Amino acid sequence: MAYFHGHRRDAVIDIGWPTNFTGGLEFINLTYTVTKKLKIEGKWESQDVDLLNNITGYAPKGSVTAVMGPSGAGKSTFLDGLAGRIASGSLKGMVSLDGKEISPSMIKRTSAYIMQDDRLFPMLTVYETLMFAADFRLGSVPTADKRQRVETLIEQLGLSSSRNTYIGDEGTRGVSGGERRRVSIGVDIMHGPSLLFLDEPTSGLDSTSAHSVIEKVHDIARAGSTVILTIHQPSSRIQLLLDHMIILARGQLMYQGGPKAVGTHLGRMGRKVPKGENSIEYLIDVIQEYDQSELGVEVLADFAATGMKPPPLPGSDDISVSAIATTPEPRQSQPQTSYEKELAKRLPLDDPGSANRYKNGFDHSVRSPWNTSSRSWTASNSGVVELLRMTPSKQKTSRMQNTHSPSSSYYGNSKDFIPPGTPTSMNSERTLSEGDFQPPYTTPLSSSRTSHLHPKFSNSFLSETWVLMRRNFINIRRTPELFLSRLMVLTVMGFMMATMFLKPKEDLQGITDRLSFFIFTVCLFFFSSNDAVPAFIQERFIFVRETSHNAYRASSYTIAGLITYLPFLALQSGAYAGIVWFPLRLRGSFLYFFIVLYASLLSTNSFVVFVSSVVPNFILGYAAVIAFTALFFLFCGYFVTSNNIPPYWSWMHSFSTMTYPYEGLLMNQYQTEDPFGKDPNGVSVTGTDILNGFNISLEHKKMWENVLIMLGWAVAYRLLFYIVLRFFSKNQRT
């Protein structure tokens, strides 16, 4: 998708709008079309379906904009589109931030996206979680300043009492749900983003925690950020904290404006809000009524776009709109309702125009930047009158044409149609002039237009790797079972093997026992890495969240994970090698024996990590690892020697990661001409005879080639792991 600005601000004067637009996010004709298979007349056919359909509007700076609507309205899709989380080319339209054109990659650098699920490391404290976020997002800022920023943020988010509490999870007691959500917000606002997106921030929280979260979000907005959030059913207290609303249904715009003006919008629609009922909830109920009727929500979208009153539903409580449409609302010198009184408390005391600005529950100083001077009203009104005379089909065509104009406003001003100051109509207010904006669906922004923005990543590669390693070691120290379990398995199995094959005899049975020991060791080391499957799958969600806004590189994450594993894998290999070497009277070099085990463990661990990055869950991950283990075991050369494997399967012998440690262990043990036993005829069997029987050539360089091949497989699997992370582990729609 290409984002464009193309809006002039020199025309914003007169008629009650501010002469200078305070900024924010603007979007024009956002359309997201996907292909779905639908069953039509008993046949499955592929059809294009609009999940978003020509949505035009804005989110004012310094305000909380709530995206609402019934289930399936397209709220999350709309939020993803604004946040640049829809694959390039799938989303059509124009987006600008503070009047400057912006691309999806740029919007990720200047924004934060708080997902519905809190993905945090459970064994880090609140302070540590935020401190690591500061290390990732604040770059070369001195450590003392980072700590001060974290301390200030903890206080602002109301987390002082839980500063040193673990985040926790199902198995570890930690912070409460509301506190966890605030920590998630703190992680993503650490760098002071100008844009903040939140997907259902109150989901799963009780009313008190939900209000606390939105209150903190409200404070963030007042500090100068543009905040856009999706919310399903806000309480009356939360509604007081919402400045701007965008209501969607079936991917179309139903309403945009302040919460207080919803009742007026319904009145002009011909629907009266029942006494004691919430106007926002009632509007959503009306939308669902139309959605379930033959008329559909398109008539409500037409009303929001043009002010054309929708046809009434049978049995609805429609009222006459003529009186509302011709009689201006009386101004009140003081707030009358509790809602207005609450709004009055939030007005800046030093602004004498605050009362007028917050008329109808919405700050008119941050209205649509596409409103123009009063000189354009005549043309605008005449267009609306002409629209009223059209047939319904022509009206829709006219509306679609008008939505391509960046001057389309959600606030109509024709006295003959809809009174001034009401967030309803989107009639065109001026003629589009050449050069105002770039046409939609053109090429993305050039790098020269975005070169003034800060770098893509805040830290260097080495700095990111060091921070990730520190975090990894802290998590390992607090969850020792992750590696202790693997160490205990190898230690216990080492003692069992040492006692089971203790001092093997120097005969054919002794040779067979040692061969069984070697192949079992190779399989044991392969299976011991299986616990890496659920470990990374759980961490993958955190990786996607953190890298979605360029906290660090996928390459630094890959390298940091590898370096973190190295000492623990060496400890496991050394423990097993030290236990079995002397009881089994193994020959050759102990150092080489240890290196083969270490390289084997490293290559198999890399393989399992790669598999875990591809599969969607740990069940499929275990299934894939077990399947490949069986294949590698079958073709490693133990059951069928390499020269006896059918030609069409011979490639599997080289592909098997068990081939090289198995051959390496055999070459280390049987690299001499010393006899290891006698055959039934009494002939001595030497080490060379054993290796020749397995079609293994005894060359000193061949032994180290096997080690290098194992290390090569480890590098190859880590490289594949990186490719999956870099190009296929993105939290975005296609």
Side-chain angles (χ1 to χ4, degrees):
M1 172 188 174
Y3 288 76
F4 307 95
H5 72 297
H7 305 309
R8 289 190 347 207
R9 315 209 175 278
D10 53 0
V12 185
I13 58 173
D14 208 355
I15 65 171
W17 310 135
T19 56
N20 57 331
F21 178 55
T22 58
L25 190 71
E26 307 162 56
F27 43 92
I28 299 175
N29 293 343
L30 287 190
T31 301
Y32 178 40
T33 304
V34 297
T35 302
K36 290 186 176 182
K37 286 190 175 182
L38 303 176
K39 196 171 186 179
I40 302 175
E41 297 181 355
K43 296 181 179 180
W44 290 96
E45 296 183 4
S46 297
Q47 287 192 354
D48 291 338
V49 178
D50 288 338
L51 299 185
L52 299 177
N53 186 9
N54 283 335
I55 299 179
T56 301
Y58 77 106
K61 186 176 182 179
S63 302
V64 178
T65 298
V67 182
M68 300 177 61
S71 298
K75 301 185 292 294
S76 296
T77 305
F78 175 68
L79 198 70
D80 289 344
L82 294 180
R85 293 159 63 89
I86 294 180
S88 177
S90 299
L91 184 66
K92 301 289 191 288
M94 294 177 275
V95 173
S96 65
L97 178 62
D98 295 336
K100 298 179 180 179
E101 54 192 37
I102 191 166
S103 67
S105 60
M106 291 300 109
I107 209 169
K108 288 181 180 180
R109 302 185 204 180
T110 58
S111 68
Y113 191 107
I114 289 85
M115 301 178 185
Q116 186 171 344
D117 298 326
D118 300 315
R119 302 293 185 179
L120 303 168
F121 286 100
M123 297 311 297
L124 294 181
T125 66
V126 171
Y127 173 80
E128 289 170 340
T129 300
L130 294 175
M131 194 64 203
F132 277 118
D135 288 335
F136 288 132
R137 305 308 296 266
L138 299 184
S140 58
V141 174
T143 302
D145 293 341
K146 293 179 182 177
R147 290 174 180 169
Q148 181 60 41
R149 168 64 175 158
V150 169
E151 296 290 355
T152 302
L153 196 58
I154 287 176
E155 184 177 354
Q156 291 174 343
L157 293 173
L159 297 170
S160 299
S161 60
S162 56
R163 179 184 184 278
N164 296 316
T165 305
Y166 290 144
I167 298 299
D169 56 7
E170 295 82 359
T172 305
R173 187 176 180 85
V175 298
S176 66
E179 289 172 331
R180 185 180 293 109
R181 188 62 49 84
R182 278 178 271 160
V183 173
S184 296
I185 295 173
V187 166
D188 285 316
I189 67 171
M190 180 62 64
H191 60 303
S194 58
L195 265 175
L196 179 61
F197 300 98
L198 302 99
D199 187 14
E200 296 283 356
T202 61
S203 177
L205 302 179
D206 59 83
S207 59
T208 302
S209 298
H211 180 265
S212 175
V213 168
I214 300 300
E215 195 170 36
K216 300 304 178 185
V217 171
H218 182 271
D219 294 338
I220 294 170
R222 287 296 181 264
S225 296
T226 301
V227 177
I228 307 174
L229 58 87
T230 60
I231 190 166
H232 184 62
Q233 194 171 4
S235 64
S236 56
R237 290 195 302 167
I238 290 179
Q239 289 179 25
L240 292 171
L241 301 174
L242 305 179
D243 304 301
H244 190 57
M245 290 174 50
I246 297 174
I247 298 181
L248 306 176
R250 300 288 182 184
Q252 301 181 70
L253 182 69
M254 300 289 104
Y255 171 82
Q256 182 176 214
K260 185 64 185 299
V262 173
T264 305
H265 178 81
L266 284 164
R268 293 186 175 84
M269 189 189 299
R271 302 298 291 263
K272 183 179 180 181
V273 181
K275 187 176 180 181
E277 188 164 341
N278 185 284
S279 59
I280 298 175
E281 294 179 0
Y282 183 68
L283 174 58
I284 294 178
D285 290 341
V286 171
I287 292 172
Q288 290 179 318
E289 289 178 12
Y290 273 91
D291 188 27
Q292 297 169 4
S293 69
E294 295 181 355
L295 295 173
V297 297
E298 287 75 12
V299 294
L300 299 183
D302 289 337
F303 175 65
T306 66
M308 186 68 182
K309 181 181 175 183
L313 293 172
S316 63
D317 55 344
D318 285 18
I319 61 174
S320 174
V321 76
S322 59
I324 299 178
T326 56
T327 306
E329 297 180 4
R331 292 177 177 262
Q332 297 177 350
S333 58
Q334 296 180 351
Q336 299 297 317
T337 65
S338 59
Y339 184 91
E340 291 171 326
K341 291 178 180 179
E342 180 65 23
L343 286 174
K345 295 177 182 178
R346 300 180 183 276
L347 300 180
L349 299 178
D350 58 348
D351 186 353
S354 296
N356 290 332
R357 285 171 47 207
Y358 279 83
K359 185 177 181 290
N360 293 332
F362 180 72
D363 186 351
H364 293 278
S365 68
V366 289
R367 282 184 177 272
S368 170
W370 310 317
N371 295 296
T372 60
S373 67
S374 58
R375 291 189 294 273
S376 64
W377 287 116
T378 304
S380 174
N381 297 343
S382 62
V384 174
V385 174
E386 181 63 27
L387 184 64
L388 287 170
R389 298 171 182 169
M390 294 180 182
T391 61
S393 60
K394 291 183 177 180
Q395 291 171 6
K396 188 170 184 179
T397 302
S398 178
R399 177 176 69 85
M400 293 178 66
Q401 292 173 347
N402 283 339
T403 55
H404 286 274
S405 170
S407 61
S408 300
S409 170
Y410 292 94
Y411 301 89
N413 296 275
S414 171
K415 294 181 180 179
D416 299 329
F417 192 54
I418 293 178
T422 58
T424 303
S425 70
M426 292 172 55
N427 48 303
S428 179
E429 297 173 0
R430 65 180 173 89
T431 302
L432 179 64
S433 60
E434 184 178 359
D436 275 351
F437 71 106
Q438 300 179 24
Y441 327 134
T442 59
T443 57
L445 299 176
S446 63
S447 58
S448 61
R449 293 186 176 181
T450 57
S451 59
H452 64 283
L453 296 177
H454 52 79
K456 186 175 183 179
F457 297 99
S458 300
N459 297 286
S460 65
F461 170 80
L462 293 178
S463 298
E464 291 175 356
T465 304
W466 172 243
V467 174
L468 287 167
M469 287 174 55
R470 286 196 295 112
R471 189 174 69 176
N472 290 342
F473 280 115
I474 290 177
N475 281 317
I476 292 172
R477 178 165 54 86
R478 292 179 183 167
T479 54
E481 62 273 11
L482 183 65
F483 282 96
L484 281 180
S485 60
R486 195 182 304 175
L487 179 61
M488 289 299 297
V489 167
L490 291 175
T491 302
V492 171
M493 293 306 300
F495 276 110
M496 293 182 67
M497 298 297 289
T499 54
M500 186 173 181
F501 298 104
L502 180 64
K503 297 180 180 180
K505 298 179 180 180
E506 297 297 330
D507 55 14
L508 292 182
Q509 184 60 46
I511 296 173
T512 303
D513 291 345
R514 284 193 180 92
L515 293 176
S516 300
F517 162 75
F518 289 138
I519 191 62
F520 182 84
T521 296
V522 172
C523 292
L524 174 64
F525 271 59
F526 197 102
F527 277 112
S528 67
S529 297
N530 285 9
D531 58 355
V533 174
F536 173 74
I537 288 177
Q538 293 175 356
E539 191 173 323
R540 178 169 56 190
F541 298 102
I542 301 177
F543 168 83
V544 171
R545 177 182 62 81
E546 292 179 333
T547 56
S548 62
H549 292 283
N550 304 322
Y552 48 80
R553 300 167 178 83
S555 57
S556 59
Y557 179 85
T558 303
I559 297 299
L562 175 61
I563 296 176
T564 303
Y565 275 93
L566 291 179
F568 296 98
L569 298 181
L571 179 62
Q572 294 162 19
S573 303
Y576 184 86
I579 292 172
V580 302
W581 179 261
F582 294 103
L584 271 68
R585 295 179 178 177
L586 299 178
R587 301 184 184 183
S589 169
F590 175 80
L591 178 61
Y592 182 82
F593 181 74
F594 163 75
I595 291 175
V596 168
L597 294 182
Y598 186 33
S600 173
L601 200 56
L602 184 59
S603 62
T604 55
N605 179 268
S606 298
F607 170 77
V608 173
V609 169
F610 162 64
V611 171
S612 66
S613 69
V614 177
V615 296
N617 53 65
F618 69 89
I619 297 177
L620 290 178
Y622 279 132
V625 170
I626 292 173
F628 277 100
T629 302
L631 288 175
F632 294 161
F633 188 27
L634 178 62
F635 292 100
C636 70
Y638 175 75
F639 296 102
V640 181
T641 58
S642 58
N643 59 325
N644 291 325
I645 296 177
Y648 45 84
W649 286 118
S650 60
W651 61 274
M652 279 296 300
H653 179 73
S654 301
F655 183 75
S656 172
T657 55
M658 291 186 182
T659 297
Y660 307 99
Y662 180 59
E663 290 184 353
L665 294 177
L666 291 183
M667 285 188 287
N668 187 55
Q669 177 70 19
Y670 301 113
Q671 61 181 328
T672 66
E673 294 290 341
D674 298 337
F676 285 84
K678 293 183 179 181
D679 62 13
N681 298 324
V683 179
S684 297
V685 179
T686 64
T688 304
D689 296 332
I690 297 174
L691 293 179
N692 289 335
F694 284 98
N695 195 34
I696 300 175
S697 61
L698 179 58
E699 296 181 12
H700 187 71
K701 66 176 183 178
K702 177 68 174 178
M703 295 176 59
W704 292 103
E705 282 179 3
N706 281 5
V707 173
L708 293 178
I709 292 174
M710 284 187 283
L711 295 177
W713 276 117
V715 172
Y717 286 130
R718 289 286 173 173
L719 182 60
L720 291 174
F721 174 67
Y722 162 75
I723 292 174
V724 173
L725 295 185
R726 176 66 177 82
F727 299 103
F728 302 102
S729 293
K730 297 181 179 180
N731 193 358
Q732 67 177 19
R733 302 170 187 261
T734 57

